[in-house]
Amino acid sequence: MKGKIKYIFILLLGFHFLSCEGDLNPQLYGTITNEDAFKTPQDLEAATTALYYELRQKGWGPYLFTDGSSFVMDVAVTDEWTTKWAWTNFLNGTWTTQEAMAIRFYDWTAPNITRCTYTIARIEECALSDEVKNEYISQIKALRAFFMFDLYRFYGPMPMIIEAERAINPDPDYRPERPSAESVEEFIRTELRTAADMLPVEWSQYGRITKGAALHYLLKYHMFKKEWQEALNIANEIIGLNYYRLEENYADIFSAQNEGNRELIFVIRAEALADYGNHTYANILPGDFASPHGNVVDGWNGHRMPWDFYDTFDENDKRRELAVVEYRTKSGSITNLRETGDIGALPLKYGIDPEASGIWAGNDKVMDRYAEVLLFKAEALNELNGPNEQSINLINDIRKRAFGAGVSIPSEIILKEEFDTEINGNAAGFFTMNNYDENNGAAWTYAIDNTSVLSGENSLHINVIRSNNEFWALQVRADNQPVKKDRTYSVRFNVKSSQNMNLDFRSEGPLSHTEIIPLTAGEVKNVSFDTTSAGEDGNCVIFFALGNTGNNYDIWIDDIVFEAKEQVTGGVGDFLIKLSDFPDKESLRDWILKERGWEFWYEGKRRPDLIRMNKYIEVGQQVGNNFGEKNLLFPLPSHVLIENPRIKQNPGY
């Protein structure tokens, strides 16, 4: 990242808790003593920066790309990632209590809970103003909740030091049992909510935890718990901050020049220097890979995107372009990985930093971004309501960028009728009542009903005395509605009938469409559907046909909207999805899982997605051996059980 990052190591709280985390005794490293600490705002800044440092730990820490990081744990034994290295146990899910890549995250991260608790306690007792103290306490509370949530989802509920007295005066004989899941979940929820309420939307110093970052972790928690309404509320809260937006170019999100990008919610900052950088590409590149910028970069020839996953992308999807199949070698030749029999493409989502040297690049590690808020909202809406237009629109917002779509022609309401005026002759607003077959016995009466039968105060009330045997016998009709060639339209209205029947919606002229709507007696139906596209410019007629529906019944219609849908310009292929593509909740859920895979590959999202959608074991059994229920959690390190015999190992280990 451009602009040198100056990590402050004056106050690095390096103590561990014996029964849960290792060595008991607090150790303070740096140039100030325990007695001198927490006296000035600079002390609080130093203590807080030391906790941010725990995210990266010289580039080899728990939240970057190293072995044992949360990233590797969240992509292992999934369909989106593999490695050429001899990680047999980890690639099969046959990890054990001695497997460094399964337990290292715990050993790195569990002590940080105590460090956060200790630091909060010391700040709270210091003599500075509440305004100054809360600036740092809010960030540390959020960090502590981040650590707690990730430990919980990987290892289940574990005892952590969250009481100030235990952190400041540790007891070597304290050996608690595992807490209940409910108590850990309550702590995570409360801590994140409290932090979010204290934090600003933006800091002057880039890379700090903001209100949006705390809310996004709370959103991830509710999605993890499948608490759909709560998740929807938080997603709307983040959107309502009116701060975040999608970056126009997908590749730019991850470039070394991405600082300040409004799609980014939380990142771990990096600079192309040893111990300060990000070594993502070093895990990926073959040793003979030549940087397109001419700088010297090292590669360990490991991480890959399996061909089966690569081939799920549409060939016009620009997100796939960051997965490299063909590269130029240092000798100048071209290597095609598929042709050479490699196991997959190079997942170079984080493009090569022009200033990178050796293994270190300046690309910030993207932890959370706004695109996930939109897709989480689409998923929550589907789980609550089944397939719906809002979920489809949110997914299409993501797909427009993926397929290079340009500026869109906005949606436009062509007709909206709420029946707020009285009937004039045979006209009710835009609509007229047509008795086409009156001479053959069709008969009806109509009036404006103001008794709030439907959602609005007024509705059109029709009493069908006698229908006839043709669909056009009785019509509620609006003429001369303008349509444009190749544009699709949406229709929405509310309707209620006193008997079971089929209502016909029809449009004729340049826009030809028929929709048959089944109605159940006495039930209000909120109807919404899309039409086919118009064949040419011109005026069409739209109408409701009541013929051949029986005699002596009532029907009410209200809130009719005929709307030109947003029209995307640019982009290649038929890439927008349609509500009519998804007959049920399960089909849209499956699509969202695919869309999240295409959008978030190589970002450490796949394992929680598969678990949430009940696919992790199924996928794990396809790509690994002996994969099963136990793999929903990782094993606890053996030393944790030795230090505290009251803690029980996770099932299956």
Side-chain angles (χ1 to χ4, degrees):
M1 185 51 50
K2 306 303 165 264
K4 186 173 182 180
I5 301 170
K6 297 180 180 178
Y7 286 101
I8 303 172
F9 298 104
I10 297 174
L11 183 62
L12 185 59
L13 302 174
F15 57 84
H16 299 248
F17 189 74
L18 179 62
S19 66
C20 306
E21 306 164 15
D23 184 8
L24 170 67
N25 298 316
Q27 300 174 30
L28 298 175
Y29 302 97
T31 60
I32 57 178
T33 67
N34 197 11
E35 291 74 21
D36 292 331
F38 303 102
K39 296 291 182 63
T40 69
Q42 291 74 25
D43 294 343
L44 273 56
E45 173 69 24
T48 305
T49 301
L51 295 169
Y52 275 103
Y53 169 77
E54 297 299 333
L55 297 167
R56 58 172 302 106
Q57 298 183 13
K58 294 188 177 182
W60 305 95
Y63 285 95
L64 293 182
F65 295 90
T66 193
D67 309 352
S69 66
S70 63
F71 167 80
V72 172
M73 296 170 77
D74 274 326
V75 294
V77 203
T78 70
D79 50 349
E80 76 156 42
W81 178 92
T82 189
T83 181
K84 299 185 72 172
W85 299 328
W87 289 3
T88 304
N89 286 344
F90 207 64
L91 290 175
N92 286 322
T94 54
W95 42 66
T96 69
T97 58
Q98 304 302 317
E99 188 78 42
M101 285 175 286
I103 65 174
R104 189 176 292 165
F105 183 85
Y106 186 95
D107 288 339
W108 272 328
T109 307
N112 293 331
I113 305 293
T114 304
R115 294 185 180 112
C116 289
T117 302
Y118 177 88
T119 307
I120 291 171
R122 293 300 310 276
I123 292 175
E124 286 178 335
E125 68 184 16
C126 80
L128 295 170
S129 70
D130 288 344
E131 181 180 4
V132 172
K133 291 192 289 187
N134 287 340
E135 176 180 342
Y136 298 100
I137 289 172
S138 60
Q139 297 174 66
I140 300 169
K141 279 181 172 289
L143 270 172
R144 181 168 63 172
F146 290 6
F147 295 140
M148 183 76 90
F149 175 57
D150 289 326
L151 285 167
Y152 175 56
R153 66 187 183 85
F154 284 139
Y155 301 100
M158 288 295 293
M160 297 292 159
I161 304 303
I162 57 176
E163 305 89 356
E165 178 60 27
R166 291 197 185 280
I168 293 175
N169 300 300
D171 177 2
D173 295 323
Y174 179 60
R175 289 177 171 80
E177 295 180 350
R178 298 184 74 160
S180 68
E182 291 76 14
S183 65
V184 175
E185 291 168 2
E186 174 65 21
F187 176 81
I188 293 168
R189 286 195 308 271
T190 303
E191 195 84 337
L192 288 171
R193 183 70 262 178
T194 301
D197 290 343
M198 296 170 68
L199 286 161
V201 174
E202 183 178 29
W203 291 104
S204 59
Q205 183 179 343
Y206 172 67
R208 288 189 177 197
I209 294 172
T210 61
K211 180 184 292 290
L215 287 174
H216 193 267
Y217 250 83
L218 184 56
L219 173 57
K220 290 194 290 187
Y221 165 81
H222 286 306
M223 294 298 292
F224 172 79
K225 289 294 297 176
K226 302 183 182 181
E227 296 169 350
W228 308 120
Q229 185 60 55
E230 291 84 351
L232 178 60
N233 294 343
I234 298 299
N236 285 334
E237 187 174 352
I238 297 172
I239 293 168
L241 296 176
N242 295 316
Y243 181 82
Y244 300 104
R245 61 175 179 264
L246 295 178
E247 182 72 4
E248 184 175 342
N249 186 338
Y250 185 72
D252 289 347
I253 301 168
F254 311 95
S255 74
Q257 292 76 36
N258 66 352
E259 185 171 321
N261 178 340
R262 282 292 183 91
E263 183 160 342
L264 303 174
I265 295 178
F266 184 51
V267 302
I268 300 174
R269 295 184 62 181
E271 185 178 354
L273 293 173
D275 298 341
Y276 293 91
N278 176 345
H279 55 71
T280 171
Y281 70 78
N283 289 282
I284 300 167
L285 299 182
D288 63 349
F289 183 96
S291 169
H293 310 294
N295 50 324
V296 178
V297 293
D298 296 338
W300 303 325
N301 199 29
H303 297 187
R304 292 292 190 271
M305 175 189 285
W307 295 121
D308 285 348
F309 186 81
Y310 179 90
D311 291 337
T312 65
F313 285 84
D314 187 289
E315 63 180 6
N316 297 312
D317 192 331
K318 293 182 177 297
R319 295 172 293 193
R320 191 182 72 169
E321 294 175 1
L322 305 186
V324 175
V325 176
E326 194 172 83
Y327 70 91
R328 184 175 297 277
T329 70
K330 293 175 180 177
S331 65
S333 63
I334 301 296
T335 293
N336 184 295
L337 292 166
R338 200 188 284 265
E339 292 177 357
T340 60
D342 205 294
I343 62 174
L346 307 179
L348 283 172
K349 185 168 232 176
Y350 293 82
I352 304 298
D353 180 3
E355 297 184 12
S357 177
I359 67 171
W360 299 106
N363 310 64
D364 292 343
K365 166 68 185 300
V366 177
M367 296 291 291
D368 297 305
R369 56 188 178 92
Y370 187 56
E372 187 167 41
V373 177
L374 301 184
L375 288 181
F376 272 155
K377 180 175 179 178
E379 184 178 344
L381 283 168
N382 179 56
E383 296 297 337
L384 288 168
N385 306 317
N388 62 92
E389 194 69 40
Q390 194 173 4
S391 288
I392 299 302
N393 291 339
L394 289 164
I395 297 167
N396 279 334
D397 286 342
I398 302 298
R399 292 183 65 77
K400 290 170 191 174
R401 174 176 66 186
F403 286 83
V407 177
S408 299
I409 301 172
S411 61
E412 177 186 4
I413 293 178
I414 307 301
L415 178 153
K416 184 174 183 179
E417 184 56 66
E418 297 176 336
F419 300 107
D420 289 334
T421 59
E422 294 299 320
I423 290 178
N424 182 11
N426 73 333
F430 286 99
F431 287 90
T432 58
M433 281 16 93
N434 294 282
N435 296 305
Y436 275 116
D437 206 16
E438 188 174 10
N439 293 333
N440 291 326
W444 63 356
T445 63
Y446 42 86
I448 299 299
D449 188 318
N450 60 7
T451 61
S452 302
V453 174
L454 300 177
S455 56
E457 293 182 0
N458 297 336
S459 59
L460 177 64
H461 174 208
I462 301 167
N463 172 242
V464 179
I465 300 169
R466 290 184 302 277
S467 72
N468 209 318
N469 57 6
E470 298 292 341
F471 79 86
W472 46 263
L474 303 170
Q475 292 183 19
V476 180
R477 177 185 179 100
D479 293 316
N480 299 322
Q481 304 306 311
V483 295
K484 295 289 187 181
K485 183 180 180 180
D486 296 329
R487 196 151 187 193
T488 59
Y489 294 78
S490 67
V491 178
R492 303 189 297 277
F493 60 91
N494 299 326
V495 61
K496 177 181 177 181
S497 172
S498 63
Q499 70 171 21
N500 294 341
M501 62 173 288
N502 287 333
L503 173 67
D504 281 11
F505 172 89
R506 294 179 181 254
S507 60
E508 293 181 348
L511 179 64
S512 178
H513 186 89
T514 298
E515 194 82 17
I516 299 174
I517 300 113
L519 302 179
T520 301
E523 292 185 4
V524 175
K525 187 157 189 173
N526 306 116
V527 179
S528 177
F529 59 86
D530 294 340
T531 70
T532 54
S533 57
E536 58 184 358
D537 292 352
N539 292 322
C540 73
V541 57
I542 66 173
F543 57 93
F544 300 95
L546 305 176
N548 196 22
T549 50
N551 303 324
N552 299 315
Y553 72 91
D554 297 285
I555 186 168
W556 294 264
I557 304 174
D558 189 18
D559 292 333
I560 303 169
V561 178
F562 180 57
E563 183 176 18
K565 291 177 66 65
E566 180 184 40
Q567 187 173 34
V568 178
T569 60
V572 180
D574 185 15
F575 56 87
L576 296 182
I577 62 173
K578 303 177 181 64
L579 182 58
S580 57
D581 296 335
F582 304 99
D584 50 37
K585 183 184 297 185
E586 291 72 24
S587 60
L588 184 53
R589 182 190 300 138
D590 288 344
W591 182 273
I592 291 171
L593 179 62
K594 290 192 292 185
E595 196 69 58
R596 287 184 60 84
W598 298 324
E599 179 68 20
F600 299 118
W601 62 270
Y602 209 70
E603 293 184 52
K605 308 285 187 184
R606 197 60 172 170
R607 177 181 177 272
D609 286 350
L610 291 169
I611 290 175
R612 186 175 66 256
M613 299 191 192
N614 301 316
K615 300 281 189 181
Y616 187 49
I617 294 175
E618 175 187 335
V619 171
Q621 289 173 344
Q622 293 170 1
V623 301
N625 297 324
N626 301 314
F627 199 84
E629 194 79 21
K630 75 170 189 177
N631 296 104
L632 294 173
L633 292 174
F634 288 91
L636 299 173
S638 296
H639 69 80
V640 172
L641 311 183
I642 294 171
E643 293 165 356
N644 183 359
R646 302 185 71 186
I647 293 177
K648 305 303 180 186
Q649 182 59 272
N650 286 328
Y653 297 103

